[in-house]
């Protein structure tokens, strides 16, 4: 999944000359927290509701700024941006690393979209397949060639379709594989996989009960 698949477009922007008050009211009207700032059609900064609240607060360094202050005097710059063809996980990495809540997307010098933390959560839901009726399995595998194929092959033998599959490291030499499958009876599959020697962590095995 690429940034272009999840970004919001077209993008609402404000000019550098717009006042803090006007920008804040616009955020309230549109239920947004981040607005790219432009000058002569070119992206030059970002302004957030938090920036405006801090700038107009009596606790601000140097005192509160008037609400008619242009956003150009408060905006964050230079702007951290992304590309429409970036993978969504790269956008998430940049946003987490830089501790920002939104990422403007440029194609050349043209502002073509914006990605927020909510957009990345939506992408996670799509990538994990939770929007479809499905069962969830977590299987601990050795981190070596062939293990993932062994698991998917076993599921294929049982005529079980995989909706999504994700892995993440778990300790030394192992990975947790999270699988969404096209059946709600995940316990039955878990029992079968355990019988085949797989270490299934979810759904948990219930002592004294048949899965």
């Amino acid at each position: 999944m690429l940034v272009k698949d999840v970004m919001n477009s077209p993008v609402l922007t404000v000019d550098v000359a717009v006042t803090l008050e006007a920008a804040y009211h616009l955020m309230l009207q549109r239920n947004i927290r981040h607005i790219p700032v432009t000058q002569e059609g070119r992206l030059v900064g970002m302004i957030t509701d938090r920036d405006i609240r801090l700038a107009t607060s009596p606790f601000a360094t140097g005192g509160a700024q008037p609400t008619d202050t242009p956003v150009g005097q408060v905006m964050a710059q230079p702007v951290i941006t992304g590309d429409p063809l970036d993978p969504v996980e790269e956008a998430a990495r940049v946003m987490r690393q830089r501790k920002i809540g939104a990422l403007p997307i440029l194609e050349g010098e043209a502002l073509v979209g914006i990605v927020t933390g909510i957009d990345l959560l939506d992408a996670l839901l799509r990538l994990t397949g939770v929007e479809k009726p499905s069962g969830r399995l977590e299987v601990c595998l050795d981190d070596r060639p062939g293990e993932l194929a062994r698991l998917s092959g076993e599921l294929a033998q049982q005529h079980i379709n995989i909706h999504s599959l994700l892995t993440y490291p778990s300790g030394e030499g192992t990975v947790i594989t999270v699988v969404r499958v096209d059946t709600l009876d995940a316990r039955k599959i878990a029992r079968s996989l355990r019988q085949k020697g797989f270490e299934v962590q979810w759904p948990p095995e219930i002592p004294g009960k048949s899965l």
Side-chain angles (χ1 to χ4, degrees), residues 126-161:
R126 290 170 61 187
L127 287 169
T128 54
V130 298
E131 294 178 321
K132 293 182 179 180
S134 58
R136 183 180 186 276
L137 299 165
E138 278 194 24
V139 184
C140 183
L141 298 174
D142 290 336
D143 189 11
R144 64 185 183 191
E147 284 294 283
L148 199 56
R150 184 168 70 94
L151 174 61
S152 60
E154 179 59 35
L155 293 174
Q157 285 186 6
Q158 298 183 39
H159 305 288
I160 296 167
N161 188 36

Side-chain angles (χ1 to χ4, degrees), residues 47-58:
I47 189 77
T48 70
D49 58 345
R50 182 174 181 271
D51 295 332
I52 296 173
R53 289 196 302 270
L54 288 176
T56 56
S57 167

Side-chain angles (χ1 to χ4, degrees), residues 46-118:
M46 283 286 288
I47 189 77
T48 70
D49 58 345
R50 182 174 181 271
D51 295 332
I52 296 173
R53 289 196 302 270
L54 288 176
T56 56
S57 167
F59 301 106
T61 302
Q65 297 204 38
T67 57
D68 61 357
T69 300
V71 295
Q73 294 184 23
V74 175
M75 66 184 185
Q77 59 177 324
V79 189
I80 301 165
T81 64
D83 186 276
L85 298 181
D86 286 340
V88 290
E89 60 268 28
E90 174 62 16
R93 185 193 66 79
V94 169
M95 291 172 65
R96 176 66 182 87
Q97 187 178 64
R98 298 301 186 97
K99 298 181 180 179
I100 55 177
L103 189 69
I105 306 303
L106 296 182
E107 196 165 43
E109 292 190 356
L111 179 63
V112 295
I114 188 170
V115 172
T116 69
I118 294 297

Side-chain angles (χ1 to χ4, degrees), residues 17-50:
V18 168
T19 67
L20 296 179
E21 182 178 17
Y24 191 72
H25 283 305
L26 185 58
M27 291 180 187
L28 292 177
Q29 291 169 7
R30 299 297 185 91
N31 194 29
I32 57 177
R33 296 188 297 117
H34 314 81
I35 302 183
V37 181
T38 60
Q39 186 172 32
E40 297 179 354
R42 195 167 48 85
L43 179 67
V44 292
M46 283 286 288
I47 189 77
T48 70
D49 58 345
R50 182 174 181 271

